[in-house]
Amino acid sequence: MHDLAEGVARFQREVFPAKKGLFAHLGGHHAPHTLFISCSDARVVPELICASEPGELFVIRTAGNLVPAHGPGFDGVTASIEYAIAVLGVKNIVVCGHSACGAMTALAQDHDLSGTPAVAGWLQHADASRAHTAAADDVDALVRQNVRAQLANLATHPCVARALAHQTVTLHGWVYDIPTGSVGTVDSIARPTALAT
């Protein structure tokens, strides 16, 4: 906690004063352009990867960057997607997987998850990803395929389907490589390509 408290003090002393005007504007204005769905992994920081300012990204972080397909009932992921589309009017949705993903590694290497039943249950949202990955133990291929599957799951949400039909939102699949900092895109057949800079 000491490091976190020091970080807050440094933010208040150095960062906030330099962006005081931005924060004053954000106090009454919330209009992010992108919904960014990434893994909860501490090594993946969407705002840092995108060099974005506060207020630009509406971020959902889940283990394995998983997005449950639309279904009965309500959950935090669905509510956040709906809010981003229907209220905030985001124009882009990015699903960002990453190298060395613990969730995808656990699935690819068939780890025993009996001690973490909530994790095991959550990772069932990646069943389609596993089924469409040729080599069961290829973590990188599973990461890419999982981004594709989560984009498909996103499209099952009525608010996303409507926005896609009206061409008011665009879906993007990315894979972030932790050791190199590179970001590749995932196309419709799950091949990575370098993100244009």
Side-chain angles (χ1 to χ4, degrees):
M1 280 305 293
H2 178 71
D3 287 345
L4 294 180
E6 281 187 358
V8 169
R10 189 168 54 253
F11 168 77
Q12 292 172 338
R13 186 177 61 250
E14 299 170 15
V15 177
F16 184 84
K19 297 181 181 289
K20 191 173 184 176
L22 173 61
F23 286 113
H25 172 71
L26 293 174
H29 184 76
H30 188 206
H33 53 71
T34 300
L35 168 59
F36 198 101
I37 302 171
S38 70
C39 187
S40 301
D41 193 304
R43 301 168 294 176
V44 179
V45 184
E47 296 84 356
L48 189 61
I49 294 167
C50 297
S52 23
E53 290 288 340
E56 293 182 341
L57 302 179
F58 190 73
V59 178
I60 299 173
R61 297 182 68 154
T62 68
N65 47 274
L66 299 178
V67 177
H70 180 71
F74 306 104
D75 62 70
V77 175
T78 300
S80 295
I81 292 166
E82 184 177 75
Y83 187 79
I85 296 288
V87 177
L88 298 176
V90 298
K91 302 299 181 202
N92 297 285
I93 303 176
V94 173
V95 174
C96 184
H98 68 93
S99 63
C101 178
M104 295 304 106
T105 300
L107 292 174
Q109 297 177 358
D110 203 25
H111 290 181
D112 178 11
L113 299 174
S114 59
T116 53
V119 172
W122 177 252
L123 292 183
Q124 289 177 358
H125 295 296
D127 285 349
S129 306
R130 288 178 78 181
H132 289 99
T133 303
D137 62 346
D138 186 342
V139 176
D140 291 338
L142 183 55
V143 165
R144 291 189 303 274
Q145 184 58 46
N146 185 56
V147 169
R148 242 180 115 215
Q150 303 319 307
L151 289 169
N153 283 352
L154 260 174
T156 68
H157 290 258
C159 60
V160 176
R162 280 190 300 274
L164 288 169
H166 291 105
Q167 299 181 344
T168 57
V169 74
T170 305
L171 303 184
H172 309 271
W174 290 5
V175 176
Y176 168 60
D177 186 61
I178 294 170
T180 67
S182 66
V183 177
T185 61
V186 178
D187 69 15
S188 61
I189 54 174
R191 288 188 306 240
T193 57
L195 188 63
T197 53

